[in-house]
Amino acid sequence: MRKELAKFKGFSAKNLPKEEPFAPGHRACQGCGEVLALRLALKALGMNVIAISATGCMEIISSPFPYTSWRVPWIHIAFENAAAVASGVEAALKVLKRKGRFPKNRRVDVVAFAGDGGTADIGLQALSGALERGHDFVYICLDNEAYMNTGVQRSSCTPYGAMTTTSPPGEKSFGQMTWKKNVPAIAVAHNIPYVATATPAFFLDLMNKVKKAALVDGPAYVHIYSPCPTGWGSKGEDSITLAKLAVETRIFPLYEVIDGKYYITRKVTKPKPVEEYLKRQRRFRHLTEAQIREIQERVDAEYERLLRLAECL
Amino acid sequence: MGKRIAKEVSIAVAEAVKQCKVDVIAAYPITPQTHIVEHLSELVANGELDAEYITVESEHSAISACLGSVATGARTFTSTSSQGLALMHEILFIAPALRLPVVMVVANRALSAPISIWNDHGDIMAERDIGWIQTFAENGQEAVDLVYHAFRVAEDRRVMFPAIVNIDGFTLSHMIEPIELPDQEQVDRYLPPFKPRYKLDPRKPLSMGPVGIPEIYMEAKKAQDEAFKSAYRVIVKAWDEFEEVFGRRYHPVETYRLEDAEVGLLIMGSLAETAMSAVDRMREAGKRVGLVRLRLWRPFPLRDFVRTVRGLKMLAVIDRALSPGATGGPVATEVRSALYQVPGRPRVASFIAGLGGRDVTVEDFEEMADRAYFYLKKKPKEPYEMIGVKE
Ligand SMILES: Cc1ncc(C[n+]2csc(CCOP(=O)(O)OP(=O)(O)O)c2C)c(N)n1
Ligand code: SF4
Ligand SMILES: [Mg+2]
């Protein structure tokens, strides 16, 4: 275990921080899992934060001038560069502290938020650069599995078979025809100290992981699965259920990778069939039984692979 | 007072950046900017400059990191050329809109295709409307002096706009010239520490870069434009104060032998030296030709410019960039529209020369001046023409 994490006791229902760095009154849709993830992440980090957002749903719904939901300092520059902007913020803090122009002992966590599009597609280069350079910052990917802000277009994180406006099913298509990109694995390949996956359904787990990500020295990457009723064609009140089901079906396993070593943080010994998860969402409604079976096989294989990585087999 | 020593201009520029005590540099290598950033990394590596040097993975990230850095309150520098500047394009507009005063030196180079590492102004002319302060240096001394000036003006609380200092790639950036680097004490006197009014600081949270709904977008843009235009006075005043500290005098618009001229050649950048020789030769031959050089390109020095050229019969504008199918080179179209409302205005002839490293010789200037004279009698057939092209 890393020494920076040794003293961290973890959040529990008893010691939840009172502060809400992300204020209510924003314009997210009802049942938005992404804004919930964002709020929980910030709650874990507290008020000594500088936040950077990529263009996307969360940036749009939180900052319609003259209103803002951000009670911590926040900057939005563009879509593909959250990690690069964060690099600049982190470097500036470092040098200003060194030169005595910012209190030396004041801990400030630099955290970048981007969607799956801003992370896995257009922002992948900036993310890779920032991770490789070793900036001390947290990068949080809020993955709702499509470009929601622009009207539900596919991304490389859109799951196999899902319908989006640019992966519509038709005569010659069954929706998204590629498998979801494994961005946490890409982050791990950068040999950074901390990588984790999380979902707002397990909110303490999410908060603990974000906090650990901030505590480690160097770059940390947290990939948060974030249900989007608007883009998925699911019920707003189903978001937490879906987030839970994604884990319980092993579609979105929860794990940590500390210094390259995988730890499964929620073992799923009796998985539910993927169908239970898929059938609650309009984006999968067109799938045939054969396609659902194909997805089940892939999910099983991926989970096996993860178990091997975590040496749990 | 510093000594005049022969130095490569890029190295001198890097030394000037060091004297400005920058906190953060984020840059990506591209010819002909490389010597500037290489020298800066060396200064950081050997401890002569206490700064964070971010070796970003692209120019897009370079400028993005720069904005993050200035927004946090650090004095920030970057430098690029050509393709690198084009890659920054998207982010360049955001810097002035958020009033983030980063300083950038552009070693001007042609844009692809064909790919060319050589000098022209195609890269920066494509960034005309980004809303940065933009100056053009004639020689090494001026390049260095414009760097001090850029930081001083950009960070001024009445200004808070980013600034670009343009230096011609190779023909200026790689020249060895006698350059006087001032004493650190002089630079410190001229350039106060960077104290932004707004910055990202958990002790005083604020939101930067919000959504601009239609009800406020135009108001935001108008406010930006007004502030940018009124930066003009600060820019000029900072040159007055520059003279007080360093003893050298700069104006937004420079002239050479223009007093009784009929034809004025107008250029920007380091071509001025050749142009002056051409003017001397034509003067000897009895032609009343003079030279106008724009040092400040943005904000455009409208009044000073009109006052300077008003008595001319003809202005021959030499553009180092092509705007295909336009009504002239980018500088020429700007100048034509600047003069349109001026009673008894000089006519404007537009010449495109020196693209992609093509030499612009004394003879070329003479040819352009001769054509300009000719166009006083007979209107040109085309709105612009290229000079120095092999047929
Ligand atoms: C360079 C650029 N290309 C495209 C866009 C348009 N755009 C804005 S947000 C967005 C999608 C965002 O998707 P994601 O990152 O997944 O975030 P979400 O909205 O789903 O939370 C797109 C395509 C843009 N702003 N900038
Ligand atoms: S579209 Fe989806 S991600 Fe965006 S605000 Fe609505 S529910 Fe949230
Ligand atoms: Mg998304």
Side-chain angles (χ1 to χ4, degrees):
Chain A
M1 195 44 94
R2 288 182 76 93
K3 62 174 185 332
E4 305 98 285
L5 301 179
K7 278 205 200 119
F8 179 58
K9 293 277 185 319
F11 294 109
S12 71
K14 291 202 185 102
N15 69 355
L16 280 185
K18 294 250 168 359
E19 291 132 338
E20 291 288 356
F22 193 80
H26 53 72
R27 300 181 177 191
C29 315
Q30 263 185 31
C32 174
E34 193 159 298
V35 80
L36 180 57
L38 171 60
R39 181 188 140 219
L40 290 169
L42 281 170
K43 203 169 169 62
L45 294 173
M47 302 304 285
N48 275 317
V49 158
I50 296 177
I52 297 99
S53 281
T55 311
C57 266
M58 292 306 100
E59 163 265 328
I60 297 287
I61 60 100
S62 66
S63 73
F65 186 88
Y67 306 105
T68 179
S69 286
W70 299 86
R71 291 180 173 137
V72 289
W74 173 81
I75 187 165
H76 157 249
I77 302 277
F79 183 23
E80 63 283 67
N81 63 357
V85 177
S87 307
V89 171
E90 186 259 6
L93 278 176
K94 211 156 129 190
V95 67
L96 292 178
K97 281 186 180 181
R98 191 163 72 227
K99 292 183 175 178
R101 279 154 55 202
F102 190 90
K104 272 202 175 60
N105 298 322
R106 195 184 180 104
R107 196 198 155 84
V108 178
D109 292 316
V110 178
V111 56
F113 293 98
D116 47 301
T119 301
D121 297 339
I122 200 166
L124 190 61
Q125 173 183 316
L127 172 61
S128 175
L131 296 182
E132 172 272 324
R133 291 190 298 272
H135 297 280
D136 187 11
F137 81 120
V138 181
Y139 187 99
I140 295 181
C141 172
L142 300 167
D143 181 8
N144 54 15
E145 306 195 313
Y147 302 160
M148 296 312 178
N149 181 47
T150 37
V152 202
Q153 295 86 17
R154 65 87 74 178
S155 81
S156 58
C157 282
T158 301
Y160 187 76
M163 169 182 71
T164 70
T165 54
T166 54
S167 63
E171 269 309 293
K172 301 196 166 151
S173 160
F174 52 85
Q176 175 89 338
M177 289 157 85
T178 50
W179 295 93
K180 188 180 175 84
K181 189 188 276 187
N182 188 342
V183 190
I186 296 172
V188 170
H190 288 77
N191 292 320
I192 57 173
Y194 190 83
V195 175
T197 62
T199 129
F202 300 99
F203 70 97
L204 287 175
D205 177 71
L206 182 154
M207 288 177 66
N208 285 331
K209 283 170 173 167
V210 170
K211 187 69 188 177
K212 283 173 166 179
L215 285 173
V216 294
D217 292 333
Y221 177 86
V222 185
H223 195 100
I224 309 186
Y225 169 95
S226 311
C228 165
T230 310
W232 295 3
S234 53
K235 293 196 195 110
E237 66 263 31
D238 261 4
S239 288
I240 296 299
T241 311
L242 281 175
K244 232 182 218 140
L245 274 175
V247 177
E248 290 168 347
T249 54
R250 296 175 166 177
I251 283 175
F252 190 85
L254 296 179
Y255 57 90
E256 272 178 329
V257 189
I258 305 177
D259 289 322
K261 179 138 182 37
Y262 279 73
Y263 303 89
I264 296 182
T265 49
R266 192 170 193 95
K267 288 206 186 76
V268 182
T269 41
K270 286 199 202 103
K272 293 187 172 154
V274 294
E275 192 171 1
E276 248 185 74
Y277 169 79
L278 300 174
K279 73 179 182 203
R280 283 169 173 265
Q281 306 169 56
R282 202 162 52 234
R283 60 176 175 157
F284 295 118
R285 190 174 290 166
H286 58 282
L287 292 184
T288 62
E289 268 174 38
Q291 283 157 348
I292 293 175
R293 222 175 307 122
E294 203 186 346
I295 293 173
Q296 183 69 61
E297 281 160 20
R298 174 84 174 207
V299 166
D300 293 345
E302 287 285 326
Y303 199 77
E304 291 265 312
R305 202 181 65 89
L306 181 66
L307 289 176
R308 265 197 303 279
L309 283 170
E311 292 164 15
C312 287
L313 265 187
Chain B
M1 192 53 84
K3 274 200 305 260
R4 265 165 87 87
I5 342 178
K7 257 188 195 306
E8 183 187 319
V9 172
S10 291
I11 305 299
V13 163
E15 294 282 341
V17 171
K18 180 196 109 179
Q19 287 188 310
C20 292
K21 297 181 176 164
V22 294
D23 300 308
V24 173
I25 299 151
Y28 191 81
I30 181 166
T31 305
Q33 148 267 35
T34 35
H35 289 183
I36 299 173
V37 298
E38 284 170 359
H39 192 65
L40 281 169
S41 357
E42 210 176 302
L43 293 172
V44 173
N46 61 27
E48 283 179 68
L49 169 60
D50 184 7
E52 287 295 309
Y53 188 112
I54 315 178
T55 49
V56 278
E57 81 299 331
S58 74
E59 289 86 354
H60 194 284
S61 285
I63 188 66
S64 301
C66 284
L67 297 202
S69 163
V70 204
T72 311
R75 179 167 290 163
T76 306
F77 177 80
T78 189
S79 178
T80 193
S81 299
S82 176
Q83 307 305 117
L85 187 66
L87 190 57
M88 289 181 179
H89 180 74
E90 181 203 18
I91 308 304
L92 293 175
F93 290 83
I94 300 169
L98 300 190
R99 308 293 291 273
L100 297 173
V102 58
V103 170
M104 165 152 69
V105 169
V106 177
N108 302 113
R109 157 182 160 180
L111 284 170
S112 282
I115 190 164
S116 160
I117 58 167
W118 309 104
N119 169 236
D120 71 28
H121 293 168
D123 57 1
I124 193 63
M125 283 304 141
E127 308 303 338
R128 191 190 61 180
D129 297 335
I130 54 178
W132 289 48
I133 296 163
Q134 295 189 28
T135 54
F136 282 79
E138 175 189 333
N139 54 42
Q141 187 65 59
E142 190 176 330
V144 162
D145 292 350
L146 287 179
V147 168
Y148 308 119
H149 178 259
F151 277 109
R152 161 78 191 251
V153 171
E155 293 173 0
D156 188 306
R157 282 193 176 187
R158 294 163 295 175
V159 178
M160 297 298 284
F161 282 112
I164 287 175
V165 176
N166 288 286
I167 65 173
D168 283 313
F170 289 116
T171 55
L172 181 54
S173 66
H174 285 50
M175 289 295 120
I176 312 267
E177 292 188 8
I179 294 171
E180 178 190 314
L181 282 177
D183 295 333
Q184 185 63 49
E185 172 275 320
Q186 285 174 290
V187 179
D188 292 345
R189 191 143 41 96
Y190 184 64
L191 182 62
F194 179 34
K195 289 209 182 103
R197 194 192 303 250
Y198 305 110
K199 60 179 177 181
L200 299 170
D201 186 333
R203 291 168 296 182
K204 211 172 172 230
L206 54 77
S207 294
M208 286 189 194
V211 176
I213 52 173
E215 286 73 14
I216 63 106
Y217 186 89
M218 275 195 82
E219 286 67 23
K221 283 321 215 187
K222 168 126 202 244
Q224 180 185 338
D225 187 50
E226 291 294 320
F228 194 55
K229 285 187 290 194
S230 55
Y232 184 71
R233 269 175 291 125
V234 185
I235 292 168
V236 175
K237 188 99 195 306
W239 273 324
D240 294 343
E241 285 153 7
F242 190 93
E243 186 183 20
E244 284 162 30
V245 178
F246 301 96
R248 284 181 294 276
R249 177 86 209 143
Y250 292 112
H251 301 281
V253 186
E254 295 291 345
T255 59
Y256 180 69
R257 301 186 80 168
L258 197 73
E259 300 75 38
D260 60 339
E262 295 173 320
V263 169
L265 298 168
L266 186 146
I267 52 111
M268 299 201 298
S270 66
L271 268 187
E273 317 236 319
T274 318
M276 285 192 278
S277 311
V279 166
D280 288 341
R281 245 164 74 172
M282 289 185 280
R283 284 276 174 179
E284 271 167 43
K287 293 178 196 157
R288 281 157 64 188
V289 178
L291 181 69
V292 185
R293 179 164 72 85
L294 288 178
R295 176 174 286 117
L296 181 65
W297 169 236
R298 283 291 181 275
F300 190 83
L302 186 60
R303 282 210 195 94
D304 283 326
F305 172 73
V306 170
R307 202 178 311 123
T308 306
V309 303
R310 144 167 262 166
L312 292 166
K313 290 199 173 120
M314 173 68 88
L315 198 57
V317 180
I318 294 97
D319 263 288
R320 314 283 318 283
L322 178 66
S323 173
T327 54
V331 181
T333 48
E334 178 103 9
V335 159
R336 277 199 186 115
S337 93
L339 292 171
Y340 186 74
Q341 307 277 16
V342 178
R345 61 181 178 267
R347 277 193 241 163
V348 176
S350 171
F351 299 103
I352 316 287
L355 299 188
R358 177 62 48 88
D359 258 357
V360 186
T361 61
V362 170
E363 289 72 27
D364 290 332
F365 279 112
E366 287 179 316
E367 184 189 338
M368 288 185 271
D370 285 344
R371 287 200 196 194
Y373 263 113
F374 176 70
Y375 292 146
L376 277 175
K377 286 178 254 142
K378 195 164 179 291
K379 247 177 57 193
K381 280 205 215 66
E382 299 291 338
Y384 62 91
E385 62 199 286
M386 282 206 202
I387 295 295
V389 186
K390 292 192 283 271
E391 298 294 343

